[in-house]
Amino acid sequence: MTPPAAGGTDGLPSVVVLISGRGSNLRAIVESAPPCRIAAVISNRPGAGGLAFAREHGIATEVVDHTAWADAADPRAAFDAALMQAIDRHRPALLVLAGFMRILTPGFVDHYVGRMINIHPSLLPSYPGLHTHRRALEDGVRLHGCTVHFVTSTLDSGPIIVQAAVPVHPDDTEDTLSARVLEQEHRLYPRAVSWFAQGRLRIDGNRVRLLPATTHAPAEQARAAALVVPALDG
Ligand code: GAR
């Protein structure tokens, strides 16, 4: 059974971030100081650059190496079960996929439905999957971009929280285009994490509504409650 989502000792919602690589989106989120507690960063690759950044910032890290389950009867399900255990020890209110390059099993996705978000380097539903910048250049599109969305069991789909579009220039290469998109990723993802932590996102079918900011958002309430000392006893 899933333990209830945690507020940390500071009353802020707890967040676990999954990475596979350099972790520049993780860095952008941490440096934005969102109204949540990054409880842990977990990677499926021991060499992921983002792990070192997390450690330097006093964030707990863990590696759940997917290759360790290669000989299991169902390697993907076995890895996802181990990953789920590692994640749930932190009782996250939100699971953030930040360059986590694994296809997730339906059981994993169901377990975190409504509290797992992903960033993808394209204007979804265009270009799900890999090599998005190369494919955009090959197609000659004039606009490209990035998307933050809730995760569903279909790869790179799910209710869209926020998107940014950038122009594609005639002389763009995969490198210049990906750098232009990445700059926007670093603006979008911290904002989306904050919105979630403030309780401002409502999923309505395939659409996401952003509620106006109020001082009564959950994270703010938790902070206010902490000011009631000693506890009211009746
Ligand atoms: C980012 O561009 C992110 O959008 C992409 O991986 C990169 C990770 O970079 N994610 C996907 O392609 C997921 N389908 P980072 O490790 O520097 O954040």
Side-chain angles (χ1 to χ4, degrees), residues 70-83:
D71 296 332
D74 185 343
R76 206 171 273 286
F79 167 73
D80 276 11
L83 182 61

Side-chain angles (χ1 to χ4, degrees), residues 77-156:
F79 167 73
D80 276 11
L83 182 61
M84 221 185 271
Q85 272 187 15
I87 294 166
D88 285 350
R89 275 197 285 275
H90 301 281
R91 301 167 67 215
L94 175 66
L95 184 58
V96 171
L97 310 187
F100 187 63
M101 305 308 274
R102 293 279 309 173
I103 292 176
L104 300 164
T105 53
F108 185 98
V109 173
D110 283 351
H111 186 68
Y112 298 105
V113 72
R115 57 189 178 114
M116 171 161 55
I117 63 176
N118 179 46
I119 189 155
H120 184 73
S122 78
L123 289 171
L124 291 172
S126 293
Y127 307 119
L130 298 174
H131 310 302
T132 56
H133 310 303
R134 187 191 309 166
R135 287 153 63 204
L137 288 171
E138 282 167 2
D139 284 347
V141 296
R142 307 305 299 257
L143 289 171
H144 187 44
C146 52
T147 304
V148 180
H149 64 96
F150 283 100
V151 175
T152 60
S153 49
T154 308
L155 179 69
D156 297 326

